[in-house]
Amino acid sequence: MGKRYSIFYLLLNLILIILFGVSLFTDNLTVVNIIIFSIVLIVQVGLVNYFKVLHQDIAKKVVDTEKDLMATEEKIKHERYFDDITELPNERYLLAKIKENLHANSSDKAVLVFEIDRLSSIKSFLGSVYSDCLLRNVAQRLQEQLSDQLIIGKLRDDQFVILIDHYESRDDILNFCSQLQSIMETPFEIQYSSLNNSLNIGISFYPKDAESELDLIKFAQIAAYEARNTHEHILFYEESMSDVRTVKVTLENDLFNALKNNELFLVYQPQVNTMTGEISSMEALVRWQHPKRGLISPGEFIPVAEESGLINPIGKWVLETACYETKKLQDHLGRSVKIAVNLSLCQLFQGDFVQTVKQILEKTGLPPQSLQLELTESMTMNTDHLTPILHDLKSLGVTLAVDDFGTGYSSLSYLRDLPIDCLKIDCSFVKNIQPDTSNEPIVDMIISMAKHLNLKVVAEGVEEITQFNYLMKSKCDFIQGYLFSRPITIEQISNTLCDVQRKTKEIIQSLQEQHTHEAVRKGL
């Protein structure tokens, strides 16, 4: 468009100049000459101004385009080299920077990888908005309180990395790690929630452990993973850790196939009514028959399932199988039997978990009142988020229990706030009941508190007659343990339930007679 206008002005100017020249040879056209001369001047001035404005416009557009290109390049560079949540250097940048630094001088160096303990639980419990905000706050605190000379960055799996380019001894590294943990001691206030945090820290050394940036970070990650299970939450990398991690990765891969290969199965441990001797409930426990390793303990594979996310499909399978087999047992016995199923935090905070429970009950035909869902005490740390879910579950007609009661760190106010029906005394307290014990304060406290709150009480891990005697006298409602039955398959329960129940009633009757004789003696 600008080009066409410029040609138009040039042609017009040329025509007017020719007309002006012709008019000079024409008599008595003085006025016409003046008019034409004026028009020529105006057009020339307009043409000059036009080209001046056109040049300025083009120059401005060139400058703006250069600025846009620079801004786009900066944005692309930032996205390529910086984490979008914390604004810290990302893994790509870190690898390049650490590689460059390793060969800058000959000094010994250390790579620290640290993670926020329980971050995955916080994400599952409160959601990604909270966890992302927590990561941002952690990054901000690190930048504010640590030296600008340190190379600090964030890995893709929500872990942070620090390169220490010189140290004198391992004690220097330990002191720095303690400083890191102290920095994180002050709780983070996020959307009206106060989140306490501790760090799991893993350390690898250059050149002792590795000479490449990839291996240094990988080994520090392995050490950080193992640090979760230590008191200090700080570990230096050892070669044996790689072997342990390899075993866990292999176990995770095998567990992925275990469900579809029908390697998982359920066993059930009966729960005995201490007053009547009736077996009216039982707990479902998952087992894994590995094709090569044989029977694998739940204590070994359940943590792997939780860390890998496999706990959700496994938990759904456990719940559906337990309901299905319990309904078959009810039909066989011609009476009601209650089944208790443990939940994980990940399961509980699936968006469709309540609907899943409802669908399983409908599919299997198990009456809702025959299902008890059990959560651990540590899962009750935030009643604001837990309460609506539990109330929705209660509306289905199921009952709710707190497993391993007394071993957690939660405020007991959740017993008032949550719709709980039952407390399960952890076996560690039951084991403390000795033959010559006349008072077991923790057990007594739990039972007394439950009675005041109209809650049922189940004692786990009862193995000795003296433990059962104490619990029966203390008015504990139900007990489960090896004293009456090990965990057995649903077929074994169908075949042996009458024998177990007869044995139970005989023990209860014997103890009741003993109590009567003791009362008579005391009366005399």
Side-chain angles (χ1 to χ4, degrees), residues 18-29 33:
I18 292 171
L19 291 173
F20 178 69
V22 171
S23 67
L24 292 176
F25 298 98
T26 305
D27 296 333
N28 303 319
L29 293 177
N33 290 343

Side-chain angles (χ1 to χ4, degrees), residues 125 283 340-345 347-349 353 372-383 386-387 389-391 393-394 398-407 410 414-415 418-424 460:
F125 193 80
E283 180 178 7
V341 179
N342 293 287
L343 299 180
S344 74
L345 189 65
Q347 280 180 276
L348 196 59
F349 284 90
F353 181 68
Q372 177 166 286
L373 299 175
E374 300 187 350
L375 52 151
T376 60
E377 190 173 5
S378 59
M379 291 164 63
T380 63
M381 63 181 179
N382 192 315
T383 56
L386 191 63
T387 301
I389 299 172
L390 296 187
H391 277 292
L393 288 170
K394 284 283 289 183
V398 304
T399 58
L400 302 170
V402 176
D403 198 9
D404 303 331
F405 184 79
T407 61
S410 301
Y414 73 83
L415 293 177
L418 299 180
I420 301 298
D421 301 288
C422 176
L423 299 181
K424 298 189 73 175
E460 300 179 292

Side-chain angles (χ1 to χ4, degrees), residues 9-10 74 97 102 168 214 262 305 318 330 400 474 481 517:
Y9 273 112
L10 285 171
E74 285 296 321
K97 199 69 177 176
L102 290 179
E168 296 294 336
L214 282 170
N262 297 316
V318 169
Q330 288 181 347
L400 302 170
S474 300
H517 293 321

Side-chain angles (χ1 to χ4, degrees), residues 255-366:
L255 187 58
F256 181 79
N257 296 314
L259 197 55
K260 65 179 181 180
N261 293 339
N262 297 316
E263 297 168 14
L264 300 179
F265 65 97
L266 296 184
V267 291
Y268 301 86
Q269 189 166 38
Q271 297 175 337
V272 176
N273 187 311
T274 57
M275 295 296 104
T276 66
E278 295 287 333
I279 297 175
S280 56
S281 58
M282 55 189 183
E283 180 178 7
L285 304 166
V286 64
R287 297 289 185 262
W288 180 13
Q289 185 67 38
H290 193 280
K292 294 180 179 179
R293 294 181 52 188
L295 199 62
I296 298 180
S297 165
E300 184 176 356
F301 73 82
I302 291 298
V304 174
E306 289 178 335
E307 291 166 10
S308 64
L310 291 172
I311 194 65
N312 287 334
I314 290 175
K316 183 178 179 182
W317 176 85
V318 169
L319 182 59
E320 184 169 343
T321 304
C323 290
Y324 173 75
E325 293 187 339
T326 302
K327 182 62 170 67
K328 283 183 62 178
L329 181 63
Q330 288 181 347
D331 293 342
H332 173 73
L333 297 175
R335 66 177 178 86
S336 175
V337 177
K338 196 167 194 173
I339 182 64
V341 179
N342 293 287
L343 299 180
S344 74
L345 189 65
C346 295
Q347 280 180 276
L348 196 59
F349 284 90
Q350 290 182 93
D352 61 346
F353 181 68
V354 176
Q355 185 64 25
T356 298
V357 174
K358 181 180 179 181
Q359 290 172 352
I360 288 175
L361 290 171
E362 292 173 350
K363 179 180 178 181
T364 60
L366 184 73

Side-chain angles (χ1 to χ4, degrees), residues 247-255 288 293 296 300 304:
V247 170
K248 287 184 177 179
V249 171
T250 303
L251 192 67
E252 181 181 323
N253 291 333
D254 291 347
L255 187 58
W288 180 13
R293 294 181 52 188
I296 298 180
E300 184 176 356
V304 174

